[in-house]
Amino acid sequence: MDNLVDPVRIAALLASRGSGWGGPARWVASTPSTQDDARQAAAQGAPEGAVFVADAQTRGRGRQGRAWVTPPGSALLASVVLRPGLDAPRLPPLALVVGLAVRDAAARRVPGAAVAIKWPNDVLIEGRKLAGVLVEASIRGTRVEAAIAGFGLNVREASLPPDIAARATCLERHGATDLDAPSLLVDILVGLESRLRLFVRDGLAPLLPELRAFDAARGRRVSGLDGSGVASGIDDEGHLLVQTDHGVIAVGAGEVTFDPTGPGHE
Ligand code: BTN
């Protein structure tokens, strides 16, 4: 498989930003899933920061067994090997950490748009999905041996199946002028590296102000597996806090939907 983007360019861009991640980077035209590419590399000892990118995936996957479908060349599809050295129970909030890095890099390209995090793993603009995050881990004993942080970020307008098109958006639609995928990737990696360092050292606490500032659910009526109520924030273990009629519950897994009739609806 030939590299579409010179790995040396990625490494140089990372180094110019003071990153300790030097790749390797592999960028191919098509692959079944960059998650699998990264996972195989991790199993063979790839270091933290090794990144696998594709212009298209034939078996891209999202959370909860869903397929992740993007027309070739329209999205940044990447998976990066992480070696956080954490005990497995500390891992779940990592999807939020990755989401913050993706959100920040996207927001810098569309300064007029409100780019938000939808717990636990989506990045939204005006309620439509700009990006999704998928974290998969290999665990040995109680330790995380490697975590594969995958993200798909919609960059350019593309023809999508109607059900997906109705819920999706992209950077181009919001007037982004810089759609250069390698520099977008490097921005995300640099932002992830610094947030990951904080997360590994101190947990989610240092990132809570940023999460609060960009929490799409806060103040909105949400429904999920555990019932419904008004989202009131994210705690330092990465749970979504929901004020219900019976008190505040901390939702640790799953997804929530926004109730369009509830408070906070735009
Ligand atoms: C979701 O919103 O459900 C998560 C979507 C994650 C998609 C990305 S695209 C790059 C990487 N490779 C995959 O097969 N999935 C992730």
Side-chain angles (χ1 to χ4, degrees):
M1 277 186 280
D2 287 333
N3 265 311
L4 294 183
V5 176
D6 186 354
V8 175
R9 180 177 168 210
I10 305 281
L13 283 171
L14 285 167
S16 74
R17 302 279 299 278
S19 169
W21 289 355
R26 201 183 74 196
W27 197 309
V28 298
S30 179
T31 189
S33 165
T34 57
Q35 288 295 101
D36 295 338
D37 298 341
R39 194 176 52 191
Q40 280 158 19
Q44 290 162 12
E48 178 158 275
V51 63
F52 297 80
V53 192
D55 279 1
Q57 298 179 122
T58 52
R59 291 170 63 88
R61 59 178 179 271
R63 293 179 76 239
Q64 305 193 332
R66 288 188 290 252
W68 179 262
V69 181
T70 44
S74 66
L76 177 63
L77 310 169
S79 300
V80 54
V81 175
L82 304 179
R83 304 235 182 234
L86 294 173
D87 281 333
R90 284 190 57 198
L91 196 67
L94 183 60
L96 289 166
V97 179
V98 179
L100 284 176
V102 173
R103 191 217 73 83
D104 188 40
R108 287 170 194 277
R109 284 157 173 80
V110 287
V115 190
I117 297 277
K118 178 173 178 251
W119 182 94
N121 77 319
D122 289 348
V123 179
L124 307 181
I125 300 182
E126 293 168 7
R128 285 172 175 248
K129 187 154 169 168
L130 178 73
V133 170
L134 178 67
V135 174
E136 298 172 320
S138 64
I139 313 281
R140 184 179 290 251
T142 59
R143 287 298 264 187
V144 176
E145 202 167 48
I148 308 301
F151 46 87
L153 169 54
N154 300 325
V155 175
R156 297 176 190 279
E157 293 285 5
S159 154
L160 288 162
D163 56 322
I164 300 178
R167 291 180 280 114
T169 193
C170 64
L171 289 177
E172 188 176 27
R173 190 176 306 176
H174 292 275
T177 45
D178 176 9
L179 298 177
D180 179 60
S183 73
L184 183 56
L185 174 73
V186 168
D187 275 2
I188 293 171
L189 294 179
V190 168
L192 176 56
E193 185 184 10
S194 58
R195 288 174 179 85
L196 183 68
R197 198 175 306 127
L198 292 174
F199 175 63
V200 168
R201 199 184 63 198
D202 297 323
L204 206 51
L207 298 167
L208 285 179
E210 187 182 7
L211 272 174
R212 285 206 182 105
F214 302 111
D215 177 359
R218 196 178 178 89
R220 297 193 62 172
R221 180 158 280 280
V222 296
S223 308
L225 280 182
D226 298 327
S228 66
V230 176
S232 56
I234 294 169
D235 71 12
D236 58 9
E237 289 175 21
H239 299 130
L240 182 72
L241 301 174
V242 180
Q243 177 74 55
T244 72
D245 293 343
H246 313 289
V248 176
I249 58 169
V251 183
E255 291 177 358
V256 292
T257 53
F258 293 147
D259 177 350
T261 62
H265 178 61
E266 297 137 15

